[in-house]
Amino acid sequence: MNNEPRVNERIHVDQVRLVGPGGEQVGVVRVEDALRLAQEAGLDLVEVAPNSNPPVAKLMDYGKFKYESAQKAREARRNQSNTVIKSIRIGLKIDENDYNTKKGQAERFLNGGDKVKFDLRFKGREQSRPDQGVRLLRGLAEELSEISSIEAAPRAEGRNMSMVLSPLRKKSEAKSDQRRRREAERESRRAEKSRRPAEEEATAEAPASAPKPMPKPPAASN
C-alpha cells in the first residue's frame, strides 16, 4: 500500500487549503492557482491532510522533505536498536570490595548505552528489613547519577528487590564515541610507526663525535 502523499498534478480536487513554505496560512484556493504558485516558487504542492475539507496542501521541496524524513527514521531506528538490560545480582550484606566491583560493572554497561537492572535477594530474616534494601539500591543510584537515571525505582517482590537504571546517553552516541576513540588510537599508532624509521635514520646519519685533542706535553725546564 502506497502511503506517500499526492504531489502536484496527482492532487485531483477542486480546492485546497494552502499552507506556505514557512507554515503561513494562505487560505482556500483553487488547486490550479496553488500549482501555479508552486511552479513560480520552484517548489512542489504536497497534500499533507487529504481527509480535511478541503484537503490541506503545503508548498515545499518534496525531494528534500523525503530525504530528511528518511534520515530521521534511520536515526530513530538506531536509537531504538540494540539497547539491552544488563542484570547485576547483589546481596544485602555486600562487602566494600564486592560493592565497588558491582558498581564498576554497572558503570561500564551504562557508559556503553545499556540499561542496568540490580537484583537484590533477601536471605532469611533480611526479608523483614526491606528499608535496608531500598537504602542500598538508592545509594547505588546516587553514585551512578552522573551517567544514569532511575527508570524503575526499588521494588520488592517476595524475597527479591529490583531497580532499573537507564543511561543518560543513547547507545548510538556511546558507539560513536567508541568508534572515534578507536580511530584516534589507530591514527596514533600509525603516526608512531612512521616516526620511528625517521628517528632511526637520523641517528644512523649523525656524524661521529670528533676525537678529543691529545693534551700537550709539559714544556722542558732549563
Side-chain angles (χ1 to χ4, degrees):
M1 184 175 180
N2 187 3
N3 292 322
E4 289 192 3
R6 293 187 293 185
V7 181
N8 297 329
E9 286 76 11
R10 292 175 53 211
I11 303 175
H12 303 300
V13 294
D14 295 329
Q15 293 179 324
V16 294
R17 186 176 300 277
L18 186 62
V19 180
E24 63 276 13
Q25 297 291 328
V26 178
V28 177
V29 300
R30 296 188 309 162
V31 73
E32 292 86 352
D33 295 332
L35 287 168
R36 177 177 52 79
L37 290 173
Q39 187 174 11
E40 290 174 355
L43 298 171
D44 299 299
L45 182 66
V46 181
E47 192 179 49
V48 294
N51 296 325
S52 298
N53 187 21
V56 180
K58 184 176 181 180
L59 298 176
M60 67 172 72
D61 183 337
Y62 186 58
K64 181 180 178 182
F65 170 77
K66 285 184 64 177
Y67 174 77
E68 291 177 348
S69 298
Q71 290 286 91
K72 290 177 182 178
R74 279 195 292 270
E75 183 66 22
R77 286 194 296 270
R78 279 199 299 268
N79 293 339
Q80 293 172 357
S81 63
N82 299 327
T83 299
V84 298
I85 298 179
K86 302 288 189 178
S87 181
I88 297 178
R89 292 174 178 259
I90 60 173
L92 188 61
K93 295 180 179 179
I94 186 171
D95 61 42
E96 184 178 356
N97 289 336
D98 197 18
Y99 179 92
N100 290 330
T101 299
K102 301 292 187 180
K103 187 179 74 171
Q105 289 177 346
E107 287 176 344
R108 288 194 297 274
F109 294 147
L110 292 165
N111 285 326
D114 291 316
K115 298 180 182 181
V116 172
K117 180 182 180 185
F118 285 102
D119 290 312
L120 189 155
R121 181 169 178 81
F122 296 105
K123 297 179 180 178
R125 296 181 180 179
E126 292 177 353
Q127 191 175 0
S128 63
R129 301 192 292 273
D131 55 315
Q132 294 184 13
V134 172
R135 282 200 297 271
L136 175 60
L137 294 177
R138 288 281 185 182
L140 279 164
E142 179 65 26
E143 293 196 44
L144 297 168
S145 61
E146 292 187 0
I147 58 174
S148 67
S149 61
I150 297 177
E151 180 175 301
R155 177 181 173 185
E157 296 178 358
R159 288 186 174 274
N160 299 317
M161 180 176 288
S162 63
M163 176 184 71
V164 178
L165 299 182
S166 180
L168 295 181
R169 291 197 312 164
K170 297 175 182 177
K171 188 152 190 175
S172 59
E173 294 174 353
K175 286 187 174 181
S176 295
D177 286 348
Q178 290 173 357
R179 282 195 297 269
R180 283 194 291 269
R181 284 197 297 269
R182 287 196 296 267
E183 289 171 1
E185 290 172 358
R186 284 196 295 267
E187 184 62 29
S188 178
R189 287 195 295 268
R190 284 195 293 265
E192 180 66 23
K193 287 180 180 179
S194 62
R195 188 166 57 247
R196 285 177 184 171
E199 292 176 350
E200 293 172 358
E201 184 178 351
T203 302
E205 292 180 354
S209 58
K212 296 181 180 180
M214 296 292 292
K216 293 182 179 180
S221 57
N222 294 327

